[in-house]
Amino acid sequence: MAGGSRSIGSFDWVIILLYLALITIGWINIYSASFDPSTEAFMSMDNLPFKQFVWIILGFVIIAFILFLDSKFFERFSSVIYIISLLSLLLLFVFGKTISGATSWYNLGFMSLQPSEFAKAATALALAKYLSDIQTNIKTLKDQIRALLIIALPALIIIPQPDPGSALVYAAFFFPLYREGLAASYLILGASAITLFVFTLLIGPLYVSLIVFLITVILFYRNRKRRPSKRIYIGIAVVAILFTFSVNYIFENVFEQRHRDRFNIVLGKEVDAKSIGYNTHQSEIAIGNGGWFGKGFLEGTQTKGKFVPEQHTDYIFATVGEEWGFLGSTVVIGLFILLILRIIQLSEKQKNDFSRIYGYSVAGILFIHFVVNVGMVLGILPTVGIPLPFFSYGGSGLWGFTILLFIFVKLDGNRVNEW
Amino acid sequence: MRKLLLLFVVLTTGVLFTARLFYLQVYDTSATTLSESNAVKEQFEIPQRGRIYDRNGKLLVSNQPSYDLMAIPREVVPFDTLALCKLLNITKGDLIKQLSKARKWSPRQPSPIVSTMSQEEYAYLGEQMRKYEGFFIQKRSLRDYQIDFGANFLGYIQEVHQGIIDREPYYKMGDLIGRQGVEQQYEELLRGVKGVTYLQKDRFNRVIGPYKDGALDQEPEEGKNIYLTIDSELQKYGEQLMVGKRGGIVAIEPATGEILALVAAPNYDPALLVGRERSINYTKLYNDSIAKPTFDRVLLGEYPPGSPFKALTSLIALQEDAISLSDKVYCNGGLRYGRNRNFGCHHHRSPVQLVTGIAYSCNAYFATAYRNTINKYDTPQEGIDNWNAHLKSFGLGDFLGYDIPIGRPGYIPDSKYYNRSYNYPQRRWGTMATVSNSIGQGEVSMTPIQMANFSAAIANRGWFYRPHILKKIQGQDTLPQQFEQKNYTTIDPEHFEPVIEGLNDVYNYGTATHLRIPDIEICGKTGTAENYTKINGKRVQLTDHSTFVAFAPKEDPKIVIAVFVENGYWGSRYGGRIASVMIEKYLKGEVTQKHLENWVLNHTLEDEYAKPLSGKPFSINDGKKIVGQFLLNQEQETTD
C-alpha cells in the first residue's frame, strides 16, 4: 500500500503521546515564565503564551501534512530539501534579520523564521540518504569524509552568523555514524581530546603533559612483554602534549574573554555571581528554590521576578525546576529520556536503512539539545544558547523539532507496509 | 553492542541530571534563603506600643512618633554625602561609619543610619529623601512620659542589639525592645505584633506586586494598654519624700498583693532615656558609682532587716509553742549568756511579755524566744532548719516571683550554712552562736520588697498574694495565675493577733509614739541596722540604716509599707516618719501631720553619704562614735 490511504493506527502512539505531553508541559511553563499580571488580553499577538499556542496549533497542521505525504517522498527528495536548506542558510547573509547579535532570522512580518532550526532535519535526511546508499561504506576514509562534509556544511554556514550553539548541534550526527559502524577509535579519540581539553584548562598544560608522559610510560611497561613499538607510544604522547599546549594557546589567545569566562565558571575556577555567572547563578537559585515539590504554578518567586534571563526560551527548565520541584523536573527529564530511547528502539526495528539512520539522527539531535540545554541550566555545562526541544518559546524551534520528529513517525509508520 | 553504548549514554545522562537536580533542590538548601532575599521583600509596619496607666486610670506613658533613617546598603547608589550629612546634622565620618556597619550586618536588610529623629527633623528631611536611593524613613513610636518619676519600675525602650536578634528572630536591626521594669516584663503585650507585607521583586529590584497575593501578609496587631497597680499620686509623693536620701519605699495592698508604690532613691526622670540621648544619659546614670541611680535598692538591695524581723521571731516562737504570751523576760540592758557574754539592749521597762516586748523592741526577749524555738529540737541543726522553713513560707530567702525582671533572693541561713562556716563536725556550734538572727541581724538579709511582703502576710493574718505591678491588661479579665493564688504561711492564724497587738502598741506607747496619725490605727515596727563599708580595704562602721515596716488600718488593712533609708540612723527617725505620712496620704488622700512631712522634706542625708568619701575620720550615729582614725595616720605617712 502506498501513499496516504493507510490507517492512522499504525503510527507510534508512544512517541505521539510523549510529544503531546512535552508540548503541553512546555506551554504551561512558558505561560508561567512570561506571565505578566498586567496583561489584559490573552488572545493578543503581543502575548507570548498565546503566540506559542498559535505555533502549537499550526504545528498540528504541519504534522497532518507530513503524515499525509507519501513516505517515500522524504527519501526521494532528501537532496533537494538539503540543498534548499543550505540556500536558506546562505541567503541569511543577504536578507537576514539580526536578533540579539545573531543574523539567523528571516523577517516574515508576523513572525521571524530561523532556518537553522529546519536545517537539522534536512541534514538528517541527506545523511540518511547518503549512508543508506548501497555503495557507501562508512568504514572507508573517503566515505567518512563525504559524510562529514554533509554534516559540516550547514554547521560551517551557521557558525559565522554567529550562532556557535546551533552549529554545535551537528555533533549529534555522531549517533547515526557510530551506529552505522564508524570505528570506535574515533570515540576514544574524541573522549581523550575532551578529557585533555578540560584538564588543561583546570590544571594547566605543564601538569597535563607530565601526567600524559607518566601514563605513557606506565602503559608501555605494562605491555612490554608484547614488545610494543616505541614509536607509536612516543608519537601518541607527543601528539597529546602538543594538543594540550595548543588548547592552552587557543584558549588564551583565540577565544574571547566571554568564552573563557563561561568555561571557567563551569570548571569552578571563577565565582562571579553578579556579571558573567549571573545566568547560571540565578538559574541554580531558581531551581534550588523548588525543593521537593516546587512552588507551584505561577508561584515561583524567581520566575515571577524574572531573575533568570531568557527564562521562557533557553532557561525554561529553571521555571520547571522552581515551580514543579524535584518531582516535576524528574518527570520532564524522564519524558525526554523515554522519547529518545523510544526513537532508538524504533530505529532498530526499521527494515529500511534510510529510516534507521534518520531515526538515530533524530535521537542524536534531541539528545544533544537536551544535554547541552539542561546541563547549562543545571550549571554543569558552559552557557551555550540552544533551546530545549518542545519547551523553549519560539515558532521556528517548535516547528523544526516537530518536523524532525514526525518525519520519523511517518517513516516508522510505513515500516509495517514495507516488505 | 554499539546500540547498547548509545542507550547507556542516554540513560547515564538522565541519572546524572536527576542527581544534579537532587543536589540543587533537595540537598543544598542555601538557594531557598537566597531566593527569599532577592525576590521577596519584607515590609514591616510597626504598631503603636501599648500605653501604661496607673491603678486609677491615669495615663503614665504614651507614645510620640519618631523616625529612623534606614538604608539598604546594596541599593544605595553613590550620592552627595555632604548634602545628606547637612540634612541629618551629622559628620561625614559618622555617616560612612554607619553605612559600613550596616553593610557588614547585611547588605540586603535595612539598617538604621540615624535613629529616632524627631518630628521636626523628619519634616526637614522628608522632602529631600527621594534624591537618596537606597535610603528610606521608617516610622516608629517612642515613649512619651507624662510623669517625671517611676523610672525604676517603668523601664525604658532601646534599640535591639545583635545578641537579641540572634536569640529572637522577631526583632530586626533597628527595632525597639523594652528593657527593665514593666517595659521588659510585658514587652510582648506592649509591643503588639509587627505587620508584615511580602512583596515580589523583579530582577531590577522593583516591586512588581504582592507576594502570593498577600497570603502570608500579616496585619499589625496593636500593642495592648496595661494598667499598673501603682498609685501614681502615692508614688510621686514617695519620691518627693526620698529626695536627698538613698533607699526605697515599697507599699503593697495586702488583700491583693498589688504594689501601690515602688520608690527607689535616688531616681531619675524616665524621659532621660528616650530617643537619641538615651545612650548618653544612660551611661551617665550608670557611671554614677556613688549614688548608683540605676541600682534599684528596693528590689536589688539585700540588707539586714533589723528589728521588724522580731515580729517573725515572735510568730515562729508562738507556732512552735516555744514561748507563751504570759512568759516574762527580764531585761537588764541585755541578755547574759555563757561566760561574760551579753546580748545588748537599749533602756526600757522590764520585765516584758510578748506584746510589750514588741512595743519596746526588747532584744533580750527575742533572743530568749529564738533560743527556745531552736532548742526545742534535739540539735541546733534541726532547730535552725525548722526555723528556716517557717521563714521561707513568708517568701524570704528566695526570689519572690513578682513581675519585674530584676530581684535578689535575700538570705535565710540553714544548718548547712552554719555547719560549713563552723567546720562541723570538727567544731560544734550552738544556738547562741546564731542568736543575732533573732533580731534581724547576723546572717539574715532581705530586700525591702521582701520586708513589705512579710508584713503583708502578718497584716493578712497568715497569707499573702505574690506582689505584682500589673493590675489589668486591656481586653483581658485575668492576671497571670501566680498572682491570683493565695500563699499560706506555716503560722496558724490565731498567733497573729498578739503580734499585731504588739505592733499596734509600738505606736501606742512603744518606739513610734510620736508618729501616730489621728483616726488611723497603724501597726508598725522600727528597725535600726548596723552596717559597714570598706575604706581603703579596712572595715569601717557607718551610721545605722533606718528601716521601718507598717500596715494600716489594724483591722482589714489597706496598705502595707516598708521603708528603708540608708544611714538614716534609727527606725523611727526617717523610716517611721515616711511610713506614717505615706499611710495617711494613701488612706486620707491628704497629709495632716505636716510636721512629719516637713521634717522629712527638709532633711537630707547627702552630708552623711559624703562622709566616707571625705578621706578623713568622721563621726557616725550623730556623733556617738568617730570612725576612720586610720585615715589620719595614712595622711601623716604620706606627708612625712
Side-chain angles (χ1 to χ4, degrees):
Chain A
M1 259 212 286
S5 57
R6 45 168 295 166
S7 81
I8 200 158
S10 57
F11 295 123
D12 186 60
W13 280 102
V14 176
I15 290 188
I16 294 173
L17 286 177
L18 285 170
Y19 170 80
L20 290 174
L22 287 170
I23 293 280
T24 312
I25 299 172
W27 185 80
I28 290 171
N29 283 289
I30 287 174
Y31 184 87
S32 188
S34 56
F35 181 73
D36 180 356
S38 63
T39 304
E40 279 161 15
F42 173 74
M43 298 241 275
S44 148
M45 284 312 266
D46 294 330
N47 189 16
L48 294 184
F50 179 69
K51 267 167 104 175
Q52 184 74 2
F53 183 70
V54 172
W55 307 151
I56 289 173
I57 299 300
L58 290 177
F60 291 157
V61 176
I62 295 173
I63 292 171
F65 182 71
I66 291 172
L67 297 185
F68 209 75
L69 282 174
D70 189 300
S71 65
K72 284 292 168 195
F73 170 84
F74 300 105
E75 192 171 351
R76 220 168 283 148
F77 289 94
S78 59
S79 315
V80 183
I81 295 171
Y82 181 67
I83 289 166
I84 292 174
S85 175
L86 286 184
L87 282 175
S88 74
L89 288 174
L90 280 172
L91 285 173
L92 278 177
F93 291 104
V94 188
F95 302 110
K97 177 188 170 195
T98 307
I99 297 178
S100 43
T103 315
S104 311
W105 280 268
Y106 286 114
N107 190 359
L108 299 186
F110 64 96
M111 75 178 290
S112 299
L113 214 60
Q114 191 180 7
S116 61
E117 291 297 341
F118 302 95
K120 291 169 218 165
T123 310
L125 286 173
L127 185 73
K129 171 84 175 169
Y130 177 72
L131 290 184
S132 62
D133 194 309
I134 205 92
Q135 291 169 18
T136 307
N137 182 359
I138 194 64
K139 297 208 164 86
T140 65
L141 191 63
K142 188 190 77 184
D143 286 350
Q144 281 170 8
I145 290 172
R146 283 190 186 160
L148 194 69
L149 259 177
I150 293 172
I151 298 165
L153 258 175
L156 288 174
I157 304 174
I158 291 169
I159 287 174
Q161 287 179 353
D163 188 1
S166 297
L168 176 74
V169 173
Y170 288 85
F173 291 104
F174 173 78
F175 259 62
L177 287 176
Y178 179 72
R179 167 62 182 82
E180 296 307 315
L182 190 72
S185 50
Y186 289 97
L187 182 71
I188 295 168
L189 202 68
S192 318
I194 292 174
T195 313
L196 281 176
F197 180 79
V198 170
F199 274 90
T200 304
L201 297 190
L202 267 181
I203 58 177
L206 268 174
Y207 284 105
V208 174
S209 307
L210 206 71
I211 292 166
V212 167
F213 178 73
L214 280 175
I215 291 174
T216 318
V217 170
I218 290 166
L219 284 178
F220 184 80
Y221 272 91
R222 280 192 58 184
N223 292 338
R224 66 185 182 280
K225 279 183 187 158
R226 285 195 255 155
R227 299 185 174 278
S229 148
K230 273 184 196 166
R231 248 186 263 162
I232 288 175
Y233 278 86
I234 291 168
I236 290 174
V238 167
V239 168
I241 289 167
L242 279 179
F243 176 77
T244 300
F245 276 94
S246 59
V247 160
N248 191 51
Y249 177 81
I250 291 170
F251 188 74
E252 294 298 337
N253 300 299
V254 179
F255 273 29
E256 288 174 34
Q257 187 57 45
R258 59 196 173 104
H259 298 131
R260 278 197 286 275
D261 288 337
R262 289 175 182 181
F263 277 103
N264 284 340
I265 283 158
V266 169
L267 295 176
K269 282 173 78 176
E270 240 175 66
V271 183
D272 181 0
K274 285 227 169 84
S275 51
I276 290 303
Y278 181 83
N279 296 13
T280 310
H281 185 64
Q282 291 300 334
S283 88
E284 281 179 17
I285 289 179
I287 291 173
N289 199 24
W292 274 107
F293 305 106
K295 296 277 166 189
F297 181 55
L298 293 183
E299 296 291 348
T301 55
Q302 307 302 300
T303 300
K304 266 190 168 176
K306 310 226 184 332
F307 283 87
V308 186
E310 299 297 328
Q311 62 176 1
H312 61 295
T313 59
D314 292 353
Y315 278 91
I316 186 78
F317 195 72
T319 298
V320 179
E322 187 182 20
E323 300 206 330
W324 305 100
F326 177 70
L327 287 176
S329 314
T330 311
V331 166
V332 169
I333 287 180
L335 290 175
F336 272 107
I337 300 289
L338 271 180
L339 179 66
I340 294 164
L341 292 181
R342 179 67 179 170
I343 293 169
I344 294 176
Q345 186 196 14
L346 287 180
S347 301
E348 279 301 323
K349 284 188 184 162
Q350 303 300 320
K351 291 156 185 103
N352 165 336
D353 287 351
F354 177 79
S355 304
R356 183 182 65 241
I357 295 164
Y358 182 79
Y360 266 98
S361 302
V362 174
I365 290 168
L366 291 179
F367 180 66
I368 200 150
H369 270 276
F370 170 69
V371 170
V372 172
N373 181 284
V374 177
M376 163 184 80
V377 176
L378 293 181
I380 47 183
L381 289 178
T383 308
V384 175
I386 61 172
L388 184 61
F390 315 118
F391 265 69
S392 292
Y393 170 81
S396 308
L398 177 66
W399 291 348
F401 288 117
T402 303
I403 292 169
L404 182 76
L405 183 66
F406 277 87
I407 290 177
F408 178 69
V409 172
K410 174 71 188 172
L411 293 176
D412 171 63
N414 211 45
R415 150 173 66 98
V416 210
N417 304 323
E418 267 183 21
W419 293 97
Chain B
M1 267 328 282
R2 298 196 155 223
K3 190 184 95 178
L4 283 182
L5 185 72
L6 292 177
L7 287 178
F8 175 75
V9 168
V10 173
L11 282 173
T12 309
T13 310
V15 171
L16 198 73
F17 282 176
T18 309
R20 174 68 175 169
L21 276 172
F22 186 82
Y23 173 78
L24 285 176
Q25 301 190 298
V26 181
Y27 179 76
D28 182 11
T29 50
S30 64
T32 317
T33 40
L34 260 176
S35 71
E36 298 264 293
S37 60
N38 80 5
V40 183
K41 179 180 186 170
E42 285 174 313
Q43 198 163 292
F44 294 107
E45 193 179 326
I46 296 162
Q48 180 95 255
R49 201 171 169 88
R51 287 189 283 269
I52 302 176
Y53 296 89
D54 86 343
R55 65 185 295 115
N56 301 317
K58 183 174 178 272
L59 181 62
L60 304 181
V61 186
S62 65
N63 298 299
Q64 56 189 353
S66 135
Y67 304 86
D68 288 359
L69 178 70
M70 310 285 287
I72 301 173
R74 206 174 64 131
E75 294 171 15
V76 171
V77 296
F79 58 98
D80 185 349
T81 13
L82 269 182
L84 186 62
C85 287
K86 223 170 159 188
L87 279 173
L88 297 171
N89 199 15
I90 57 173
T91 66
K92 195 178 166 190
D94 281 347
L95 180 66
I96 289 167
K97 203 176 108 193
Q98 284 300 320
L99 272 174
S100 72
K101 194 177 143 197
R103 188 168 296 116
K104 214 163 143 198
W105 184 67
S106 164
R108 291 171 191 275
Q109 301 260 3
S111 297
I113 301 300
V114 178
S115 14
T116 55
M117 293 182 291
S118 68
Q119 187 101 42
E120 296 83 55
E121 284 174 300
Y122 165 66
Y124 190 56
L125 193 64
E127 282 283 296
Q128 311 282 331
M129 269 330 289
R130 75 175 71 109
K131 281 195 218 160
Y132 302 100
E133 223 169 289
F135 290 91
F136 67 96
I137 299 226
Q138 170 89 58
K139 190 180 167 193
R140 297 182 190 281
S141 65
L142 282 189
R143 282 316 206 184
D144 187 11
Y145 292 97
Q146 313 296 315
I147 51 171
D148 60 359
F149 51 86
N152 59 316
F153 62 80
L154 288 174
Y156 54 93
I157 54 178
Q158 72 169 169
E159 232 177 273
V160 292
H161 54 72
Q162 193 60 49
I164 297 172
I165 297 172
D166 292 343
R167 258 199 324 276
E168 292 178 66
Y170 172 88
Y171 298 97
K172 300 270 182 274
M173 208 61 155
D175 280 357
L176 299 169
I177 189 172
R179 296 281 291 136
Q180 305 283 16
V182 292
E183 295 277 19
Q184 178 176 338
Q185 183 76 30
Y186 294 110
E187 163 71 9
E188 284 185 22
L189 288 173
L190 290 168
R191 78 171 182 213
V193 181
K194 271 190 286 194
V196 193
T197 315
Y198 292 95
L199 298 168
Q200 169 81 49
K201 293 191 296 182
D202 70 2
R203 66 179 185 278
F204 304 114
N205 210 28
R206 294 174 307 206
V207 170
I208 55 172
Y211 172 60
K212 292 202 168 171
D213 290 324
L216 299 176
D217 293 1
Q218 271 180 346
E219 285 287 309
E221 211 175 282
E222 290 285 308
K224 291 211 167 67
N225 295 339
I226 61 173
Y227 292 79
L228 300 184
T229 58
I230 296 289
D231 181 314
S232 61
E233 285 303 313
L234 189 65
Q235 174 76 25
K236 184 178 175 184
Y237 185 57
E239 293 204 18
Q240 280 166 358
L241 293 173
M242 287 302 284
V243 169
K245 295 120 202 148
R246 294 180 194 163
I249 308 171
V250 186
I252 292 177
E253 184 177 76
T256 57
E258 291 174 359
I259 298 172
L260 299 171
L262 197 68
V263 178
N267 211 340
Y268 51 91
D269 184 349
L272 284 176
L273 300 186
V274 174
R276 272 162 111 172
E277 301 302 309
R278 188 197 68 76
S279 154
I280 300 165
N281 286 334
Y282 186 81
T283 310
K284 270 189 203 157
L285 290 171
Y286 185 78
N287 285 347
D288 182 353
S289 59
I290 297 165
K292 293 184 185 163
T294 57
F295 178 71
D296 189 332
R297 287 164 170 81
V298 283
L299 301 179
L300 294 177
E302 292 170 292
Y303 304 99
S307 302
F309 191 80
K310 289 171 183 167
L312 293 173
T313 306
S314 319
L315 287 168
I316 296 168
L318 289 173
Q319 176 71 24
E320 290 291 322
D321 216 5
I323 201 159
S324 79
L325 293 174
S326 53
D327 286 347
K328 286 178 183 165
V329 171
Y330 288 87
C331 173
N332 197 359
L335 173 72
R336 269 170 205 85
Y337 66 98
R339 198 185 301 161
N340 295 331
R341 295 206 184 182
N342 188 21
F343 193 62
C345 190
H346 59 98
H347 183 72
H348 60 81
R349 260 170 49 186
S350 176
V352 293
Q353 289 170 306
L354 185 122
V355 174
T356 46
I358 292 174
Y360 293 130
S361 196
C362 174
N363 288 350
Y365 182 86
F366 294 100
T368 308
Y370 175 79
R371 184 176 62 188
N372 293 352
T373 306
I374 305 294
N375 286 350
K376 195 186 137 186
Y377 292 87
D378 295 340
T379 63
Q381 279 85 351
E382 270 178 77
I384 283 277
D385 286 340
N386 181 63
W387 171 81
N388 178 291
H390 284 301
L391 290 171
K392 287 259 161 86
S393 76
F394 283 85
L396 300 174
D398 202 352
F399 294 101
L400 204 43
Y402 48 77
D403 52 351
I404 297 176
I406 52 170
R408 295 293 304 162
Y411 192 72
I412 303 294
D414 57 8
S415 63
K416 278 195 211 108
Y417 172 84
Y418 290 112
N419 284 345
R420 201 169 49 239
S421 61
Y422 283 96
N423 196 17
Y424 184 85
Q426 277 77 29
R427 292 182 56 208
R428 300 160 65 86
W429 53 275
T431 307
M432 290 314 279
T434 69
V435 76
S436 298
N437 290 338
S438 62
I439 57 165
Q441 298 266 348
E443 283 74 32
V444 176
S445 76
M446 57 186 76
T447 60
I449 195 172
Q450 284 178 318
M451 289 177 69
N453 187 62
F454 85 66
S455 309
I458 296 172
N460 287 334
R461 280 82 171 161
W463 54 267
F464 66 91
Y465 282 115
R466 256 173 234 295
H468 52 276
I469 198 161
L470 180 72
K471 185 160 177 68
K472 190 173 164 267
I473 303 162
Q474 185 191 34
Q476 272 184 33
D477 294 334
T478 52
L479 280 180
Q481 200 246 329
Q482 71 264 32
F483 302 133
E484 294 197 325
Q485 166 194 322
K486 267 186 193 176
N487 298 281
Y488 286 93
T489 65
T490 50
I491 311 295
D492 296 336
E494 69 266 22
H495 299 310
F496 285 90
E497 288 309 333
V499 172
I500 289 170
E501 209 56 56
L503 293 173
N504 185 221
D505 284 350
V506 168
Y507 279 83
N508 294 337
Y509 57 84
T511 50
T513 46
H514 59 298
L515 302 175
R516 264 179 282 185
I517 303 288
D519 310 328
I520 301 176
E521 283 271 337
I522 309 181
C523 305
K525 186 71 199 78
T526 55
T528 305
E530 288 183 359
N531 68 103
Y532 298 86
T533 188
K534 273 191 174 171
I535 299 177
N536 296 349
K538 287 206 168 78
R539 192 165 182 260
V540 177
Q541 188 178 5
L542 297 181
T543 300
D544 299 340
H545 291 324
S546 167
T547 64
F548 202 94
V549 299
F551 61 87
K554 184 178 160 196
E555 302 304 328
D556 191 16
K558 294 281 182 249
I559 180 171
V560 165
I561 196 159
V563 185
F564 176 85
V565 179
E566 281 185 16
N567 311 118
Y569 195 12
W570 70 83
S572 60
R573 193 190 201 195
Y574 280 93
R577 285 185 171 99
I578 291 171
S580 284
V581 291
M582 286 283 281
I583 287 170
E584 189 179 23
K585 173 88 178 168
Y586 182 69
L587 294 179
K588 289 186 180 167
E590 56 169 352
V591 178
T592 58
Q593 300 309 97
K594 288 291 176 194
H595 64 283
L596 295 177
E597 180 186 275
N598 287 335
W599 191 92
V600 175
L601 291 175
N602 293 333
H603 283 72
T604 90
L605 287 163
E606 295 297 348
D607 292 345
E608 196 67 41
Y609 300 137
K611 283 177 183 173
L613 306 168
S614 64
K616 296 193 187 99
F618 54 90
S619 66
I620 60 165
N621 292 351
D622 273 3
K624 284 207 181 109
K625 205 168 168 186
I626 304 287
V627 297
Q629 278 86 353
F630 67 92
L631 289 164
L632 222 53
N633 303 332
Q634 276 183 348
E635 210 173 317
Q636 278 168 357
E637 275 166 33
T638 47
T639 47
D640 281 349

